[in-house]
């Protein structure tokens, strides 16, 4: 399974943690490229499919970005 699929299939109670950890993993692979935007977009879409709200998902993705990229982006 890929990261987006893991997020889409995450059960309630695990969705934010799954979103955070999988977003971090992907951002670590693309941290120095334009693919960061694509990663964040695909993870947001997966989170919405999983049933998380837009605000909650965006906040979790932003936390992952800060954890991996710091203040660089």
């Amino acid at each position: 399974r890929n990261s987006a699929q893991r997020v889409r299939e995450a059960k309630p109670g695990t969705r934010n943690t799954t979103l955070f950890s999988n977003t971090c993993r992907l951002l670590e692979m693309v941290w120095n490229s334009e693919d960061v935007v694509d990663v964040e977009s695909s993870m947001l879409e997966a989170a919405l499919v999983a049933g998380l709200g837009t605000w909650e998902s965006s906040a979790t993705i932003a936390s992952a970005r800060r954890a991996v990229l710091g203040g660089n982006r």
Side-chain angles (χ1 to χ4, degrees):
R1 296 185 316 174
N2 68 33
S3 293
Q5 184 177 355
R6 283 187 201 99
V7 172
R8 284 191 297 270
E9 295 174 355
K11 304 290 184 224
T14 67
R15 296 178 299 188
N16 272 322
T17 302
T18 303
L19 175 60
F20 180 82
S21 63
N22 282 278
T23 301
C24 284
R25 185 171 321 155
L26 291 175
L27 289 174
E28 287 168 351
M29 290 190 278
V30 301
W31 69 272
N32 199 20
S33 74
E34 297 300 317
D35 293 334
V36 168
V37 173
D38 292 335
V39 164
E40 292 179 351
S41 178
S42 69
M43 296 310 279
L44 177 59
E45 181 180 327
L48 296 176
V49 169
L52 291 171
T54 302
W55 183 89
E56 182 178 20
S57 301
S58 296
T60 301
I61 292 167
S63 293
R65 182 186 330 110
R66 284 189 302 275
V68 174
L69 305 176
N72 296 334
R73 299 209 185 199

